[in-house]
Amino acid sequence: MRLKVLVDLPRHSRLDPLLDYLAPEAWPAGTLVRVPLGRREVCGIVWGPGDEAASPDGEGAAVALREIAQVLDALPPLGEAWRRLAAFAAGYYQRSLGEVALGALPPDLRELDATQLARRLRRSDKLDRDAAKAAASPSADPAVAAPLPEPSAEQREVLAQLAAMPPGPVLLFGATGSGKTEVYLREAARVLEAGGQVLVLVPEINLTPQLEARFAARFPGRRLVSLHSGLTPAQRLQGWLAAHLGRADLVLGTRMAIFAPLPRLGLIVIDEEHDPSYKQQEGARYSARDLAVWRGRSEGVPVLLGSATPSLESWHNALPAAEGGAGRYRRLDMPARIGGGALPRVRTVDLARIAAQFGKRAVYSQPLAPPLVDAMRERLERGEQSLVLLNRRGYAPVLHCTSCGWKSDCAHCSAWRVFHRSDRTLRCHHCGFSERVPFACPSCGDPDLQPMGRGTERLEEQIAELLPGARIGRIDADTTRHKGSLESQLAQVHDGEIDVLVGTQMVAKGHDFRRMTLVAAVQADAALFSSDFRAPERLFALLMQAGGRAGRDAELAGRSEIWLQTWHAAHPLYAALRRHDYPAFAAAQLLERESAAMPPYAFQALLRAEARSQQAACAFLDAVSAATLDWPEAAEVLIFPPVPAPIQRVADVERAQMLLEASSRQALHRLLARWQPVLAEAAAGTGEARILRWALDVDPLSI
DNA sequence: AGCACGCCGACT
DNA sequence: GTCGGCGTGCTC
């Protein structure tokens, strides 16, 4: 008999990834198999009965069907709900079903034959028995575990409302330190009690250990596994197996974990739901948060989205229709900090006024204005810590020649090479091209090359001059390149070995610094006038999140401050920030978005193309745009003209993009569905005009 | 995507 | 005379 088997045939292959194979018996859908494909043998998933009709191609030359090579029937089939999720994700994000479904499996699993699988399953059995034994041992007795913290009145109220609610997405809007995690834990306890599995998603691997520790401490008898790309392939497979076999009660992971098969799924928690890391930025560009909401509805399971600064999409979804929102989610608010800790005071330094008072030099040559330096000096004297955020690593973003105007451009990209003083290199952050800093200008020979602008390395140096005696540390992608170095540097901060920490936004997320009473953002303004319409939203989230680092310690909370240096002190974003008023900020942003017909009031897709020449990339985009001219599917979709990508050339490849916008998701998807084969066809050219890569990004986060 | 086949430049 | 560059084509 014939079975339809799904294999990982990528996106624009003109072949359907659902292939017919011969099998001696009807294995159920979801069964993992190994099948011959061309000259190799690949992993496949049985998707259903095959076409018993003559030829799989429909007409003409019959294809000789081949036999399934092996059936991995030691593993339970992937369930119906899981297959629905994969199919939805593939359809929504316009990728091949095979790519999405097979790509959601641990890479190791796809390589295993039946014998190897049996061995892994035996190891999984043993792990399971060990875990059960550990759970039963006296040391893990729940009675001995730390007593449950008494929930605050606010938490009790939220929990009561959650208990009374029908299943559906809930936006938990709570300030940093308001105890959202306690709500997750209580909800998880309820679901575990009822025999369910809980899936918890966090934005970054860095944040898993902390949350893992809290869940492990609260549920000592329960099996908890994590799923993220930082695990070894074997660990990832074991975690996945534990989830799929229903042995893991709690699954904690990054966006990839949204595809974990969970036969007893009872709750999905998305922590920091606004975080852009939930959107995959290559391959199948899915949003784990949006898929979580879909999965929750599909499986009849509650979804808890937590944030102090929700995405405007979620905020809009949680706003009742009567208030102009979509009314799709329920919203629960937790405004107060636990332990009555005050929210940090927000202080804006008006650079225009500083320039008038201290002279232009004080503003342009010094990274920190005098009042901010004074405030940091006070912290230093009291033995407290300060954090200075600057979202740009390296010493200076560009080096230039004072006599001929040469700048350190990259030979392969339309970008500057960044001056890294520590190893005296000029490095392109886009293609990796790196060279020692030249002794003299490569263009005119003048040895006087000067750094322009400021990165974290230089900021660190300049702060050392402004605050003599202060112990200064720096955390960015350069100082945390080696495994474990982020942890050890964070430990230094915790142990009080650092007075002032300089860092990029990676330090703003999730880390809890007890003695940090000042957080300063040095170059906040850039986001106010960015061409990216989501920049203000990200800035607001970053500053609130960074502010959350300050004043975690209730006794110090009273003098915790967030400092902003700005030329636009009166900007409404800063005004809302001073009041910690996210709802006002969101209302203003939504009004702007609505009047400009932008998300969440419009639905977007971005078609990106890469070619040897900008002209070839644009020609492709123009051609596929023109193809839709007389389509009824295109009537409600606005297709903008092609434009060069924000970084036009990377590693000698030219990039262009084209935006699509529609007022309804359905209209956009009707066009995309018909468009897909046209794109594949148009990209198939040869020679210099050939398209190297193209990708469709549905709901793009940055344009 | 893999993995073949296929047709032109620098090596044992 | 071969080894190997990656352009083009196929996979139930």
Side-chain angles (χ1 to χ4, degrees):
Chain A
M1 70 175 310
R2 294 173 178 193
L3 291 179
K4 279 262 183 263
V5 175
L6 184 64
V7 293
D8 184 8
L9 276 169
R11 26 199 175 278
H12 358 96
S13 148
R14 276 185 285 313
L15 204 57
D16 191 309
L18 276 172
L19 304 179
D20 282 301
Y21 283 91
L22 296 171
E25 56 178 298
W27 297 99
T31 306
L32 244 57
V33 292
R34 297 199 62 78
V35 291
L37 180 66
R39 264 145 258 252
R40 61 207 166 110
E41 191 180 277
V42 297
C43 179
I45 304 171
V46 174
W47 214 256
D51 285 329
E52 295 298 339
S55 165
D57 282 346
E59 63 196 84
V63 180
L65 296 192
R66 300 171 76 177
E67 300 233 0
I68 289 179
Q70 277 192 37
V71 180
L72 307 183
D73 57 338
L75 199 70
L78 291 156
E80 215 262 313
W82 188 89
R83 282 177 279 129
R84 265 203 321 265
L85 175 66
F88 170 77
Y92 189 86
Y93 294 105
Q94 298 288 311
R95 306 297 291 204
S96 104
L97 177 55
E99 183 195 8
V100 171
L102 276 301
L105 303 179
D108 263 23
L109 182 64
R110 297 173 57 177
E111 304 304 320
L112 298 184
D113 62 27
T115 339
Q116 295 164 318
L117 175 68
R119 197 177 309 141
R120 297 299 185 106
L121 284 171
R122 275 199 299 280
R123 196 176 308 164
S124 169
D125 287 342
K126 187 180 177 309
L127 282 173
D128 192 47
R129 280 196 306 275
D130 291 350
K133 214 178 294 170
S137 78
S139 65
D141 192 330
V144 191
L148 276 187
E150 193 57 33
S152 67
E154 211 171 75
Q155 283 169 339
R156 267 201 303 277
E157 171 65 22
V158 162
L159 288 164
Q161 291 201 45
L162 276 174
M165 249 177 222
V170 172
L171 178 63
L172 187 58
F173 170 54
T176 322
S178 65
K180 291 190 291 292
T181 309
E182 183 59 29
V183 175
Y184 305 156
L185 288 164
R186 298 261 172 177
E187 280 297 289
R190 197 175 52 72
V191 169
L192 291 172
E193 225 27 59
Q197 289 175 298
V198 178
L199 175 62
V200 183
L201 260 47
V202 293
E204 282 178 39
I205 301 176
N206 297 338
L207 305 176
T208 52
Q210 309 179 35
L211 212 59
E212 204 176 324
R214 273 194 80 177
F215 274 85
R218 179 64 68 87
F219 304 112
R222 302 289 187 171
R223 175 100 186 264
L224 186 159
V225 298
S226 47
L227 280 179
H228 53 75
S229 59
L231 302 174
T232 66
Q235 289 173 323
R236 200 166 138 191
L237 175 56
Q238 284 304 334
W240 187 91
L241 285 173
H244 178 49
L245 298 170
R247 289 171 178 167
D249 300 302
L250 294 144
V251 174
L252 207 146
T254 52
R255 60 174 180 263
M256 65 162 64
I258 192 55
F259 289 111
L262 295 158
R264 299 183 280 113
L265 182 63
L267 169 69
I268 307 178
V269 174
I270 312 290
D271 192 26
E272 307 290 1
E273 69 83 25
H274 64 277
D275 199 295
S277 309
Y278 284 121
K279 183 88 199 278
Q280 174 101 30
Q281 287 300 341
E282 57 204 19
R285 295 167 179 255
Y286 63 87
S287 157
R289 180 241 290 154
D290 295 348
L291 286 180
V293 170
W294 192 89
R295 186 174 184 179
R297 206 189 41 197
S298 147
E299 300 191 36
V301 153
V303 178
L304 210 45
L305 303 156
S307 178
T309 51
S311 63
L312 287 176
E313 282 77 5
S314 296
W315 188 257
H316 178 249
N317 275 328
L319 224 48
E323 293 171 43
R328 278 191 280 266
Y329 305 169
R330 301 291 300 272
R331 195 180 98 209
L332 296 175
D333 295 355
M334 298 177 64
R337 266 190 157 182
I338 287 292
L343 290 165
R345 184 170 163 214
V346 177
R347 308 195 52 169
T348 34
V349 178
D350 184 343
L351 288 174
R353 200 188 295 169
I354 296 291
Q357 190 181 344
F358 296 88
K360 291 240 182 232
R361 212 190 149 270
V363 174
Y364 289 109
S365 63
Q366 295 301 331
L368 310 177
L372 175 53
V373 178
D374 292 341
M376 288 171 63
R377 194 175 293 117
E378 276 174 38
R379 266 60 187 192
L380 189 59
E381 283 158 7
R382 287 202 297 256
E384 295 164 11
Q385 297 170 313
S386 303
L387 169 63
V388 185
L389 292 171
L390 176 62
N391 202 22
R392 187 177 269 161
R393 65 195 170 88
Y395 189 85
V398 56
L399 200 65
H400 85 130
C401 169
T402 49
S403 48
C404 77
W406 171 86
K407 284 180 174 162
S408 55
D409 51 352
C410 175
H412 309 287
C413 307
S414 48
W416 305 123
R417 278 179 300 162
V418 176
F419 174 36
H420 288 255
R421 198 174 189 182
S422 52
D423 56 1
R424 298 217 47 89
T425 57
L426 293 177
R427 295 217 290 263
C428 175
H429 288 181
H430 302 283
C431 73
F433 179 52
S434 173
E435 268 180 347
R436 267 192 78 82
V437 175
F439 294 106
C441 172
S443 168
C444 74
D446 189 316
D448 190 23
L449 297 176
Q450 290 295 324
M452 284 176 83
R454 172 158 50 227
T456 46
E457 273 183 44
R458 192 180 199 179
L459 180 58
E460 181 185 10
E461 183 184 284
Q462 291 179 315
I463 292 177
E465 285 165 18
L466 291 168
L467 292 171
R471 295 162 303 169
I472 301 174
R474 170 166 64 93
I475 295 184
D476 56 32
D478 293 315
T479 70
T480 56
R481 189 141 295 158
H482 302 288
K483 200 163 65 183
S485 55
L486 174 63
E487 289 73 18
S488 65
Q489 289 178 74
L490 289 172
Q492 277 197 317
V493 181
H494 284 283
D495 297 345
E497 291 166 31
I498 297 285
D499 301 309
V500 177
L501 179 61
V502 174
T504 51
Q505 45 181 287
M506 65 186 294
V507 279
K509 285 186 188 177
H511 309 288
D512 204 346
F513 301 119
R514 289 274 146 200
R515 298 200 62 78
M516 194 78 77
T517 58
L518 184 150
V519 174
V522 181
Q523 277 176 17
D525 283 348
L528 295 181
F529 308 100
S530 166
S531 59
D532 181 350
F533 67 85
R534 277 184 240 263
E537 182 184 351
R538 281 200 304 271
L539 174 65
F540 197 92
L542 174 72
L543 294 175
M544 290 282 278
Q545 204 156 31
R549 303 306 112 226
R552 274 317 215 10
D553 201 330
E555 85 179 73
L556 298 178
R559 52 174 182 269
S560 288
E561 294 176 339
I562 302 175
W563 283 68
L564 301 166
Q565 301 196 126
T566 172
W567 291 95
H568 309 275
H571 196 284
L573 188 151
Y574 296 135
L577 196 68
R578 272 193 290 269
R579 302 191 310 269
H580 292 269
D581 192 349
Y582 173 81
F585 166 74
Q589 284 286 308
L590 283 177
L591 215 58
E592 267 182 48
R593 300 269 188 99
E594 187 170 20
S595 61
M598 285 191 291
Y601 302 94
F603 300 90
Q604 297 180 326
L606 192 68
L607 180 60
R608 304 169 200 268
E610 299 184 359
R612 281 280 159 228
S613 74
Q614 181 66 210
Q615 188 223 329
C618 286
F620 163 74
L621 296 174
D622 274 325
V624 295
S625 175
T628 68
L629 277 178
D630 52 0
W631 292 2
E633 291 90 343
E636 291 173 59
V637 181
L638 186 57
I639 305 183
F640 288 84
V643 292
I647 300 163
Q648 188 175 329
R649 188 167 48 104
V650 171
D652 292 319
V653 172
E654 291 284 335
R655 311 170 341 147
Q657 59 187 38
M658 190 166 78
L659 183 68
L660 282 76
E661 215 169 70
S663 57
S664 100
R665 203 185 291 273
Q666 290 75 12
L668 183 60
H669 272 85
R670 273 195 297 275
L671 174 66
L672 295 182
R674 179 162 175 198
W675 214 23
Q676 193 78 15
V678 176
L679 297 176
E681 187 65 31
T686 57
E688 275 303 287
R690 142 167 164 268
I691 295 300
L692 299 171
R693 277 147 53 102
W694 61 274
L696 203 46
D697 189 345
V698 180
D699 302 334
L701 269 193
S702 56
I703 292 164

